[in-house]
Amino acid sequence: MARSVTTQHKTIATIAAWTVALLIFFPILYTIITSFKSEQEAIQGFNLIPSGTFESYAEVQAQSGYFKFFLNSVLLSVGSTILALLVAIPAAWSMAFSPTKRTKDILMWMLSTKMMPAVAVLFPIYLIFRNLGLLDSRIGLMIMLMLINLPIVVWMLYTYFREIPGEILEASRMDGASLWGEIWYVLTPMAVPGIASTMLLNIILAWNEAFWTIRLTTTEAAPLTAFISSFSSPQGLFWAKLSAASTLAIAPILIMGWFSQKQLVRGLTFGAVK
């Protein structure tokens, strides 16, 4: 029997949820507000009422050229996600439907790599990219972003694939389906919600990655994270311009997250087949 919830408890829970949401969102809100201030207003202190000027956006666009960085971010996030799925779907299939006694150890090892500080491998990675001619190249950054997010992608797909009854795949084998036919025509369509939520999460992670994108690029492949960092200089921080650049960088991913939140939550919550 379900426990009844009083109106008072619902009100308290709602207020608590909105409070936490506002606390989390407030830094983003204040960044947006600061972007509509002049530099003089921005350094004067805390103020939630902007003057409404667009001069920071005009100067940011005139100085850097937003759309070049935006295009690089789109190509890198989408490209690295496609590469990750091409590797992770067969890997997750193997671990979910043909496990060995080392499968759990491999999964834990993959996840443990996310706990290692990125700076610990910066020097060897930089030398490898330099020797292979991948510095400041889109393909190099796609590979790097794919590798750093691959453990999460494999783990998520492995979880979704475990929800799919193995009997369905066995039936496809009895009907003469090849290995790749089984993965492409049977497994993948059944796991579409899980794959979609994994894609969305990986695009967000790749879009927000700053450590590697700043250190492995200069101009040609620089994404929006490099666009933001270009407004931090030895002469000081230009808060209004920095806020305008940050707003332009996070706006696309905020819009995408807002319109895809139902699909993302449904995929993360329910997996593939129940």
Side-chain angles (χ1 to χ4, degrees):
M1 181 177 179
R3 184 176 63 180
S4 61
V5 181
T6 65
T7 303
Q8 183 181 4
H9 287 163
K10 289 182 179 179
T11 303
I12 294 173
T14 301
I15 294 174
W18 274 103
T19 301
V20 172
L22 288 173
L23 287 174
I24 293 173
F25 184 72
F26 183 76
I28 299 175
L29 175 63
Y30 193 68
T31 298
I32 297 172
I33 291 174
T34 306
S35 69
F36 292 102
K37 297 178 181 179
S38 64
E39 286 295 343
Q40 184 177 0
E41 289 178 305
I43 64 175
Q44 285 178 350
F46 184 79
N47 182 10
L48 291 176
I49 303 176
S51 61
T53 179
F54 288 88
E55 66 178 48
S56 295
Y57 287 96
E59 291 179 16
V60 164
Q61 178 59 29
Q63 178 178 338
S64 298
Y66 167 78
F67 291 102
K68 174 186 176 182
F69 296 95
F70 172 78
L71 178 61
N72 283 336
S73 285
V74 172
L75 293 175
L76 293 174
S77 56
V78 174
S80 65
T81 299
I82 293 174
L83 289 177
L85 289 176
L86 290 176
V87 175
I89 289 177
W93 172 90
S94 175
M95 294 178 182
F97 299 108
S98 299
T100 66
K101 62 181 181 180
R102 297 293 184 186
T103 295
K104 291 185 178 179
D105 295 334
I106 294 174
L107 285 168
M108 290 304 300
W109 172 79
M110 292 180 66
L111 195 61
S112 69
T113 61
K114 295 295 294 180
M115 305 175 190
M116 181 176 61
V119 70
V121 292
L122 173 60
F123 186 65
I125 292 294
Y126 185 88
L127 291 180
I128 292 172
F129 270 59
R130 186 195 65 180
N131 294 336
L132 294 178
L134 294 176
L135 287 177
D136 199 23
S137 68
R138 289 171 180 166
I139 186 63
L141 268 184
M142 285 182 192
I143 294 172
M144 192 67 219
L145 293 173
M146 180 269 288
L147 291 175
I148 63 177
N149 293 324
L150 188 61
I152 296 177
V153 177
V154 172
W155 258 95
M156 290 182 66
L157 292 179
Y158 169 77
T159 303
Y160 300 136
F161 290 172
R162 287 289 300 270
E163 304 281 346
I164 298 176
E167 292 79 6
I168 297 178
L169 299 182
E170 291 178 4
S172 68
R173 295 189 198 110
M174 293 178 65
D175 289 339
S178 63
L179 174 60
W180 290 108
E182 176 184 327
I183 294 175
W184 182 254
Y185 295 108
V186 181
L187 179 65
T188 301
M190 295 183 66
V192 165
I195 294 175
S197 60
T198 303
M199 286 180 61
L200 289 171
L201 182 60
N202 192 79
I203 288 174
I204 292 171
L205 292 174
W207 188 282
N208 293 331
E209 174 59 38
F211 182 84
W212 292 110
T213 53
I214 291 174
R215 285 158 180 82
L216 297 179
T217 62
T218 51
T219 55
E220 293 301 321
L224 287 170
T225 49
F227 171 74
I228 296 173
S229 66
S230 66
F231 291 92
S232 175
S233 66
Q235 287 76 27
L237 293 173
F238 300 95
W239 293 112
K241 296 184 184 67
L242 190 60
S243 297
S246 299
T247 301
L248 289 171
I250 64 177
I253 209 70
L254 281 177
I255 295 171
M256 187 192 77
W258 177 264
F259 284 105
S260 62
Q261 57 181 319
K262 290 184 179 180
Q263 291 78 7
L264 182 60
V265 171
R266 184 178 64 177
L268 291 174
T269 305
F270 297 108
V273 178
K274 291 289 183 182

